[in-house]
Amino acid sequence: TIAEIKCGTNVKEIIVLSKEGDIYQFDTNSNEYCTVLTNNPSYVAEYGFGHDHFSDGYGGPLLITIPPLDQYIHNVTFSSIATMPRNYFTILVPNDQYFT
């Protein structure tokens, strides 16, 4: 599988995953949006750091499945736990030629 990772308008990397089960990981800035294009069906996810990463000790790790563009949903309902002192949400909003 060939994957092109494009952040903003620039191609960040082109990688080759040679066999089933291969993985690739890359870091981005929080103000950067990226697109992953592959020539075969692939699983793409965002992993967020846990509470040990932040100096205030709050926050848990997260794993968000990133759906293919043709499967994006446009409405979602979610809730938070009232007893938690802080609640963080990752909201992904497309900002590219597919959703103008």
Side-chain angles (χ1 to χ4, degrees):
T1 298
I2 299 171
E4 177 186 87
I5 301 166
K6 189 176 189 181
C7 296
T9 57
N10 302 314
V11 174
K12 185 173 185 163
E13 297 179 63
I14 295 176
I15 60 160
V16 176
L17 302 170
S18 58
K19 63 184 186 315
E20 261 184 45
D22 279 356
I23 63 169
Y24 182 77
Q25 175 180 307
F26 66 96
D27 293 325
T28 64
N29 296 320
S30 60
N31 62 349
E32 189 172 54
Y33 70 92
C34 296
T35 304
V36 178
L37 300 172
T38 64
N39 65 335
N40 289 310
S42 301
Y43 177 76
V44 178
E46 173 192 0
Y47 176 78
F49 295 106
H51 68 86
D52 292 335
H53 181 74
F54 300 104
S55 60
D56 64 6
Y58 292 109
L62 62 91
L63 181 69
I64 299 173
T65 297
I66 308 298
L69 291 173
D70 60 343
Q71 295 178 13
Y72 262 76
I73 57 174
H74 296 282
N75 297 305
V76 67
T77 302
F78 59 92
S79 61
S80 63
I81 301 170
T83 57
M84 295 289 289
R86 293 188 183 156
N87 294 286
Y88 297 96
F89 299 97
T90 298
I91 300 173
L92 306 171
V93 180
N95 182 20
D96 56 30
Q97 69 273 16
Y98 301 104
F99 294 94
T100 55

